[in-house]
Amino acid sequence: MKWMIASDIHGSALFCRRLLAAFDRERADRLVLLGDLLYHGPRNPLPEGYAPQETAALLNARRERLVCVRGNCDADVDQMVLEFPILSDSCLLCAGGRTVLATHGHLWNTQKRPPLCPGDVLLHGHTHVPAWEPFGEGNYYLNPGSVSLPKEDSPRGYLMLEDGAFTWKTLEGEPYHALTL
């Protein structure tokens, strides 16, 4: 299974379209979205191309290929316009024989760690900064960064997962980091 992982679209139809173009280019089987889909939140500026209704329509058109978790800017009212589930705080994926806990990052993160077995991976967005850091007992913290509002001079991008290998890429598809578990 080939997974594309992205986070923090924050209602930008412009960058949602670019993400979906990358999804098509990558020929991924599924797109995992780590929350903050439609709303920009009170701490963020309006992202370029802010159009939550258009973003919802773009994502609804791909509903059968999406796996999503709830972000701190996602609300029950968002679920009313989205045709796929977004209200779970986490989900589990498998990668290279490891369990990957996917969450947004506002509830579970490296400071407030979820219960993990040695070797498990914590995958979250929320910070808008890409990350690949070891912690705990052979655990890794991975973050794809943000699609629409990157921070700390990081690129707008996503993460690819295939056969236990993670590759961070810009929205244009240029790889800039890789990690094999």
Side-chain angles (χ1 to χ4, degrees):
M1 171 98 35
K2 187 175 184 180
W3 299 85
M4 176 185 263
I5 303 160
S7 191
D8 297 280
I9 298 170
H10 287 288
S12 172
L14 170 69
F15 292 112
C16 184
R17 274 193 300 282
R18 290 184 185 172
L19 176 66
L20 295 175
F23 180 71
D24 292 339
R25 184 178 62 243
E26 294 282 358
R27 296 188 174 140
D29 298 300
R30 297 288 178 136
L31 174 57
V32 179
L33 295 173
L34 300 176
D36 287 0
L37 303 180
L38 301 180
Y39 181 55
H40 63 91
R43 297 181 302 165
N44 295 309
L46 281 175
E48 187 179 351
Y50 184 66
Q53 291 175 327
E54 186 178 344
T55 302
L58 289 165
L59 294 173
N60 283 337
R62 305 291 184 107
R63 66 186 166 272
E64 71 281 351
R65 310 261 309 270
L66 301 180
V67 175
C68 301
V69 297
R70 178 199 303 245
N72 60 306
C73 294
D74 297 323
D76 290 351
V77 70
D78 297 333
Q79 186 63 83
M80 295 170 69
V81 298
L82 294 170
E83 300 168 2
F84 51 92
I86 66 159
L87 296 179
S88 178
D89 290 323
S90 63
C91 72
L92 294 177
L93 309 171
C94 293
R98 293 183 188 230
T99 298
V100 178
L101 176 72
T103 189
H104 180 63
H106 65 297
L107 298 175
W108 300 109
N109 50 59
T110 57
Q111 303 307 307
K112 186 176 179 208
R113 295 179 184 175
L116 298 172
C117 291
D120 287 350
V121 175
L122 175 60
L123 172 66
H124 73 70
H126 185 56
T127 66
H128 298 220
V129 179
W132 45 87
E133 302 169 7
F135 75 97
E137 297 180 50
N139 303 104
Y140 268 93
Y141 156 53
L142 307 180
N143 189 320
S146 175
V147 171
S148 68
L149 294 168
K151 295 183 178 176
E152 297 183 15
D153 294 319
S154 62
R156 287 181 171 85
Y158 58 90
L159 181 57
M160 293 301 302
L161 168 59
E162 186 174 22
D163 299 326
F166 292 88
T167 306
W168 284 256
K169 295 184 175 186
T170 66
L171 273 181
E172 294 73 34
E174 295 297 319
Y176 63 90
H177 187 75
L179 175 69
T180 301
L181 298 178

